[in-house]
Amino acid sequence: MEKKWATKEQLTDLLCDLVRIPSITGSEAEIELAEFLVEQLRNLPYFQKHRDHLQLFPTGDGRYFVTALVKKKEQTKKTVILLSHFDVVDVEDYGVRKDMAFDARKLTDLLYTHKEELPEEVKQDLDTGNWLFGRGTMDMKAGLALHIAMVEQACEGKFDGNVLLLSVPDEEVNSAGMRAAVPVLLELAKRHHLEYKAVLNSEPMFTRYPGDPNKYIYTGSIGKILPGFLCYGKETHVGEPFSGLNANYMASLLTSELELNTDFCEVTEGETSPPPTNLLQKDLKKEYSVQIPHRAVTLFNLFLLEKSVDEVIRKLLETAETAAQRVKRSYEKQAAQFPASGCFAPPDVEIRVLTYEELMAYALTTHGQEEIERIERSVLADRRAKDDREATIELVDELAILCKELAPMIVLFFAPPYYPAVCSGTSPLIQRVVSDMISYARTRHGITLKKQNYFGGISDLSYVGLQASAESRSRLVANMPLWNRGYSIPLEELELFDVPVINLGPLGRDAHQWTERLNVDSLGTLMDLLPVCIQKLLTTE
């Protein structure tokens, strides 16, 4: 049978077919793409003979992930997992061209006629003729196309071991696909007598800074948490602002303390995590009125490398205390300078800083378990209609309202998703294979690959094993209101699924931007590099 995905041209056609399905996270097309993968792979004779080796598994929310197992021989155990995701972010950033965002060739041709609108570095790439534009070309349907080609090679007996393709939805939002897949991977290992040697992801190479010319091979993936702060002040009429405390003001000063605060950056072997940045800040009033907003929330993206959850919580609480003192000093200064200051006594602005866990303990003691459960049932009644962040904030807000006698207060909590940091840089297998691949890429292709411990774009590799015990995350769990209420991570299974990871993918630029693009030549290069990498992962002792 003639090979379907053996050349760069065939791979480019496959990539364009994958991109054409607008699999935005949460859309119906996300389900369509999973079905398309099964349809394509089912055409291979191996899967017609071994139909139960190609499966769709439910994630529990109406979506599916795909597994495709190719066994070298029935008794062969050594297996490499090829991990990818098939969802993409939305296309609003394309503006008037968003209808073409999923037609890679048409969009690329159009940009040639509108080069004057492009940033200089994008124009330079376009002029080479080696780049394909469109949503998902880089992140990460090129990697998925390459993995499909590797499955075809495995079906032909290319590798001295087994290959298991795993392609999941929802990586761009909550990683529901990968979180659901971990228990299934453990079950597949038992059923088919598999020994997982490594998980190979092919997320594209990410630049570490603007203009970064380097090409990378990764031995892990950066971690991420979403700390939030509910700020609860005191209500008042706008005509009497010194009779209350505006929560928007509290949140603003807290944001100014945390935004781009490099004290939160970690440096490990010359790699630096980005500083925190704000993802959401708003007051919690339901409608417009001349009452000041006395409840507000601010939510941050915070990357992790090696810091423990306890260290992070301690630092976040210190920052909140600093912000609380700034609010107090500023409030008292303004009250003293107010022309009518001698005619009134402003309220005390001693702001309490506490964790969600502490707020919950107080609520249970003061109001009882039954009242807490009533609030939770009310908030979570229409769970699927609410974004995880919205549901989390509403749970914290309702609990704070119940305990408003503690105000003014700042409450630290965590919202989904949570991505544990993972790094296999010390694994003897990964060390050897990375060294061999760096040498091979240089000798065979004249390419210099640089080893990096952490892939910086966040990936589903975070759910391959645990760098620390599940118990060490107890404070994170205790301060995440949605934990086991619609969101969780299979921590016990992750402790069992302890497999080294590696990421080797194509060259792309501008993920999540309208200029997202893929270097098509890198597909040809990876068609040579990936089989070598897989073989080494299977055979290196």
Side-chain angles (χ1 to χ4, degrees):
M1 183 176 177
E2 185 180 350
K3 289 185 179 180
K4 295 180 65 177
W5 306 301
T7 68
K8 183 177 79 171
E9 291 71 27
Q10 288 175 317
L11 265 194
T12 304
D13 288 342
L14 174 60
L15 172 59
C16 289
D17 288 341
L18 292 169
V19 169
R20 199 169 289 114
I21 300 173
S23 52
I24 295 169
T25 315
S27 68
E28 288 296 319
E30 199 178 13
I31 299 171
E32 180 187 346
L33 204 149
E35 295 169 341
F36 176 80
L37 288 180
V38 171
E39 177 187 325
Q40 292 298 305
L41 292 169
R42 187 69 72 193
N43 291 325
L44 297 175
Y46 178 89
F47 293 113
Q48 292 173 9
K49 182 179 179 182
H50 303 278
R51 298 190 69 84
D52 64 327
H53 286 202
L54 175 60
Q55 292 182 275
L56 279 173
F57 287 96
T59 61
D61 57 7
R63 293 177 289 185
Y64 300 90
F65 62 90
V66 179
T67 64
L69 172 64
V70 183
K71 293 207 76 174
K72 177 75 172 183
K73 297 177 181 176
E74 186 56 38
Q75 66 269 29
T76 303
K77 291 186 175 183
K78 294 181 178 178
T79 305
V80 168
I81 298 172
L82 305 181
L83 172 62
S84 63
H85 70 87
F86 51 76
D87 64 314
V88 298
V89 297
D90 67 36
V91 294
E92 292 304 312
D93 51 327
Y94 283 82
V96 295
R97 298 194 185 103
K98 66 181 180 181
D99 290 341
M100 282 183 284
F102 296 109
D103 191 331
R105 287 194 170 102
K106 186 174 180 180
L107 177 64
T108 303
D109 289 343
L110 178 73
L111 292 178
Y112 274 109
T113 65
H114 293 78
K115 287 200 297 185
E116 70 282 354
E117 300 176 18
L118 300 174
E120 186 57 37
E121 64 274 13
V122 179
K123 195 183 305 181
Q124 290 173 6
D125 283 346
L126 188 67
D127 285 340
T128 68
N130 295 330
W131 293 79
L132 191 67
F133 289 72
R135 177 62 81 231
T137 52
M138 172 195 181
D139 186 14
M140 69 160 293
K141 290 181 178 178
L144 172 56
L146 285 161
H147 285 187
I148 292 171
M150 295 304 102
V151 169
E152 182 179 44
Q153 292 189 22
C155 290
E156 295 164 350
K158 172 85 173 182
F159 307 113
D160 294 324
N162 310 319
V163 167
L164 173 60
L165 178 140
L166 169 64
S167 196
V168 300
D170 194 50
E171 190 266 359
E172 299 291 2
V173 178
N174 285 324
S175 284
M178 187 60 186
R179 288 185 288 120
V182 171
V184 171
L185 291 172
L186 294 175
E187 176 58 33
L188 288 175
K190 288 181 182 179
R191 188 192 315 167
H192 296 286
H193 308 291
L194 308 178
E195 175 193 340
Y196 295 136
K197 293 292 298 293
V199 176
L200 169 61
N201 202 350
S202 289
E203 289 273 12
M205 301 176 194
F206 268 61
T207 55
R208 294 180 64 189
Y209 51 85
D212 181 5
N214 296 304
K215 298 176 176 64
Y216 297 100
I217 183 169
Y218 305 91
T219 61
S221 193
I222 200 167
K224 162 181 168 166
I225 55 176
L226 284 179
F229 296 90
L230 182 95
C231 298
Y232 200 122
K234 186 179 186 304
E235 68 275 15
T236 187
H237 189 283
V238 293
E240 300 178 309
F242 284 112
S243 294
L245 178 60
N246 195 312
N248 278 346
Y249 182 53
M250 297 168 67
S252 296
L253 290 187
L254 188 45
T255 296
S256 73
E257 286 291 330
L258 261 176
E259 180 68 21
L260 303 179
N261 187 335
T262 55
D263 289 344
F264 284 87
C265 296
E266 293 184 61
V267 180
T268 303
E269 295 184 23
E271 297 178 27
T272 305
S273 63
T277 190
N278 187 266
L279 290 178
L280 178 149
Q281 181 175 326
K282 64 178 182 178
D283 67 70
L284 300 176
K285 287 174 64 174
K286 303 294 187 195
E287 68 285 312
Y288 172 80
S289 75
V290 290
Q291 181 190 63
I292 66 166
H294 63 284
R295 301 180 338 274
V297 67
T298 183
L299 188 66
F300 294 85
N301 188 92
L302 179 56
F303 287 115
L304 302 175
L305 299 180
E306 296 180 349
K307 279 185 180 176
S308 69
V309 170
D310 285 353
E311 287 180 274
V312 173
I313 289 177
R314 177 183 56 79
K315 184 67 178 172
L316 288 168
L317 289 174
E318 287 177 359
T319 305
E321 291 281 6
T322 300
Q325 290 305 309
R326 280 187 61 190
V327 172
K328 175 180 172 65
R329 289 193 301 270
S330 177
Y331 185 94
E332 290 175 349
K333 177 184 175 183
Q334 298 299 335
Q337 292 177 348
F338 184 55
S341 60
C343 304
F344 73 100
D348 185 12
V349 287
E350 291 294 339
I351 300 170
R352 202 184 306 259
V353 174
L354 64 162
T355 62
Y356 175 78
E357 182 181 16
E358 291 168 333
L359 179 63
M360 175 63 78
Y362 176 87
L364 284 169
T365 300
T366 309
H367 300 280
Q369 182 73 38
E370 187 176 336
E371 180 62 14
I372 304 304
E373 291 177 354
R374 183 196 65 76
I375 288 174
E376 290 177 349
R377 284 194 303 272
S378 174
V379 173
L380 301 176
D382 192 15
R383 179 68 190 85
R384 290 197 175 183
K386 295 174 182 174
D387 173 84
D388 281 352
R389 275 57 55 186
E390 294 173 350
T392 297
I393 291 166
E394 190 174 346
L395 279 170
V396 182
D397 187 38
E398 290 297 329
L399 199 63
I401 292 171
L402 182 68
C403 305
K404 60 181 180 295
E405 64 271 17
L406 296 178
M409 60 179 158
I410 295 173
V411 182
L412 168 65
F413 63 91
F414 294 98
Y418 165 52
Y419 287 83
V422 59
C423 181
S424 299
T426 59
S427 160
L429 170 65
I430 299 301
Q431 285 181 329
R432 176 72 181 275
V433 172
V434 167
S435 176
D436 288 351
M437 292 309 301
I438 289 173
S439 176
Y440 183 83
R442 182 174 58 248
T443 303
R444 185 67 179 265
H445 296 280
I447 293 172
T448 300
L449 290 177
K450 291 187 67 174
K451 180 183 85 73
Q452 190 168 336
N453 288 323
Y454 296 95
F455 174 73
I458 307 173
S459 79
D460 282 331
L461 287 178
S462 282
Y463 304 107
V464 180
L466 288 176
Q467 299 293 294
S469 68
E471 186 180 351
S472 68
R473 292 165 171 81
S474 59
R475 289 194 72 195
L476 176 75
V477 170
N479 286 291
M480 187 176 282
L482 271 193
W483 191 269
N484 284 338
R485 295 174 180 85
Y487 179 87
S488 63
I489 296 170
L491 294 175
E492 292 181 5
E493 287 88 348
L494 284 178
E495 287 190 299
L496 297 173
F497 185 53
D498 187 16
V499 184
V501 304
I502 187 171
N503 192 106
L504 179 60
L507 178 62
R509 302 199 204 283
D510 294 353
H512 298 194
Q513 299 180 47
W514 70 272
T515 49
E516 178 182 352
R517 58 200 184 277
L518 175 85
N519 185 302
V520 180
D521 286 348
S522 68
L523 289 178
T525 304
L526 266 294
M527 280 295 286
D528 181 49
L529 293 182
L530 282 182
V532 174
C533 186
I534 293 168
Q535 181 71 358
K536 287 182 179 294
L537 289 169
L538 286 167
T539 59
T540 301
E541 297 297 337

